[in-house]
């Protein structure tokens, strides 16, 4: 497991590193690697290259790239890494919710609050081990992590699985109904049927619009009129549960 710290204040960076080391010493059997960044641009580039971690402890306000910039990129690339924000101001709490941050801690961070945040982050990682969705293609079965899927489309009796990196995977001709093909994944709380031909990952919704859903990639997914009220209700419930 890897924990990344990013803060352009060297003193705060060292303080968080000490808290992490103290936490690691206090919990029997816990092991993780610590990687530090004082330049958010370098971390941003590493994430863009696909070099991801499990937990991110990020300063909210930095010079060139903010903590929100980092968090937004993580979600765009499909990372479910846990984000813990540290800040000297509570003015950005709403932005933190927008990237599904697990905790938002005010500086100076107390040992008690930091340890609680780490406990949550570690328990989240255990619960959210990658679940795979099998897609039968002409080249064989391709297993795709749920977190990488933006939406699944039923097109001409084939599954078109659209991924967060902009690519897609097409299945062979399906003999079962769309309902049967997506039964397992649609049981996951993150996925919602919004149309007879579309199942979306609610983690990647950017905005609800009239008759459509705007996804983080910029793609618009149609919402059927008969499902519109339920879609709005289910999404709001999903969002509220994320921040309990």
């Amino acid at each position: 497991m890897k924990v990344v710290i990013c803060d352009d204040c060297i003193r705060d960076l060292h303080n968080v590193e000490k808290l992490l080391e103290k936490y690691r010493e206090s919990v029997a059997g816990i092991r993780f690697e610590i990687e530090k960044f004082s330049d958010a641009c370098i971390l941003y580039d590493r994430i863009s290259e696909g070099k991801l971690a499990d937990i991110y402890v990020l300063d909210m306000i930095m010079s060139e790239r903010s903590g929100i910039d980092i968090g937004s990129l993580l979600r765009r690339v499909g990372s479910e890494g846990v984000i813990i924000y540290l800040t000297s101001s509570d003015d950005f709490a709403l932005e933190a919710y927008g990237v599904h941050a697990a905790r938002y801690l005010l500086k100076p961070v107390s040992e008690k609050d930091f340890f609680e945040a780490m406990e949550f982050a570690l328990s989240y990682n255990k619960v959210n081990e990658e679940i795979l969705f099998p897609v039968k293609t002409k080249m064989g079965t391709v297993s795709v992590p749920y977190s990488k899927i933006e939406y699944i489309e039923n097109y001409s009796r084939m599954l078109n699985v659209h991924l967060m990196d902009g690519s897609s995977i097409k299945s062979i001709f399906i003999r079962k109904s769309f309902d049967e093909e997506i039964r397992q994944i649609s049981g996951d709380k993150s996925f919602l049927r919004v149309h007879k031909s579309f199942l979306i990952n609610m983690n990647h919704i950017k905005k609800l619009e009239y008759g459509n859903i705007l996804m983080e990639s910029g793609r618009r997914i149609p919402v059927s009129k008969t499902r519109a009220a339920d879609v709005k209700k289910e999404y709001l419930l999903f969002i509220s549960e994320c921040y309990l």
Side-chain angles (χ1 to χ4, degrees):
M1 180 178 293
K2 181 184 290 185
V3 180
V4 162
I5 317 168
C6 186
D7 198 317
D8 59 359
C9 174
I10 301 301
R11 181 186 62 191
D12 289 344
L13 188 69
H14 288 164
N15 287 342
V16 173
E17 183 180 18
K18 288 177 182 177
L19 283 171
L20 274 172
E21 290 173 344
K22 192 169 184 180
Y23 177 78
R24 183 165 54 187
E25 292 170 0
S26 69
V27 181
I30 189 70
R31 293 182 180 180
F32 54 77
E33 172 191 351
I34 301 172
E35 191 170 6
K36 301 178 295 181
F37 294 88
S38 59
D39 186 336
C41 291
I42 295 176
L43 174 57
Y44 192 94
D45 290 342
R46 287 178 66 85
I47 293 169
S48 299
E49 294 167 358
K51 298 174 182 177
L52 304 175
D54 302 288
I55 300 171
Y56 292 84
V57 184
L58 306 173
D59 183 27
M60 181 68 78
I61 307 169
M62 293 181 280
S63 56
E64 294 187 42
R65 290 285 187 183
S66 70
I68 292 297
D69 291 336
I70 300 294
S72 297
L73 176 62
L74 285 168
R75 299 313 180 221
R76 285 200 303 274
V77 301
S79 169
E80 288 195 352
V82 180
I83 299 173
I84 300 170
Y85 279 126
L86 310 181
T87 181
S88 54
S89 169
D90 60 2
D91 293 339
F92 302 93
L94 187 59
E95 286 87 344
Y97 291 151
V99 295
H100 307 289
R103 291 293 185 269
Y104 184 88
L105 307 179
L106 290 176
K107 295 179 179 182
V109 181
S110 71
E111 180 180 302
K112 178 183 177 182
D113 288 344
F114 187 80
F115 279 23
E116 186 279 331
M118 285 299 298
E119 287 289 345
F120 177 86
L122 291 170
S123 64
Y124 181 92
N125 274 323
K126 289 178 182 177
V127 170
N128 288 275
E129 293 178 351
E130 289 283 32
I131 306 173
L132 303 177
F133 178 64
V135 185
K136 295 179 181 178
T137 73
K138 292 180 180 179
M139 303 300 291
T141 300
V142 178
S143 296
V144 187
Y146 281 16
S147 62
K148 306 295 183 185
I149 299 173
E150 185 175 45
Y151 66 93
I152 301 174
E153 177 184 6
N154 181 22
Y155 180 75
S156 298
R157 295 302 303 271
M158 292 184 291
L159 298 182
N160 199 352
V161 183
H162 294 262
L163 308 181
M164 284 305 299
D165 63 5
S167 65
S168 63
I169 300 172
K170 286 188 179 181
S171 76
I172 56 175
F173 184 84
I174 58 174
R175 299 186 180 278
K176 298 179 182 179
S177 68
F178 187 47
D179 284 341
E180 291 177 293
E181 291 288 343
I182 64 170
R183 180 169 295 154
Q184 180 178 344
I185 191 171
S186 61
D188 186 282
K189 67 178 183 179
S190 295
F191 287 84
L192 178 64
R193 184 83 172 272
V194 298
H195 184 280
K196 66 179 182 179
S197 299
F198 290 91
L199 178 78
I200 67 168
N201 187 339
M202 290 190 284
N203 286 304
H204 303 312
I205 290 178
K206 185 175 183 180
K207 184 182 179 182
L208 294 182
E209 299 179 331
Y210 181 74
N212 295 284
I213 291 178
L214 178 63
M215 305 300 288
E216 289 179 350
S217 65
R219 298 160 177 160
R220 281 184 166 82
I221 308 300
V223 178
S224 63
K225 291 181 179 179
T226 57
R227 299 176 190 264
D230 287 337
V231 166
K232 182 177 181 180
K233 180 181 177 181
E234 289 296 322
Y235 180 60
L236 292 176
L237 179 61
F238 173 77
I239 289 296
S240 65
E241 289 179 346
C242 285
Y243 304 130
L244 288 177

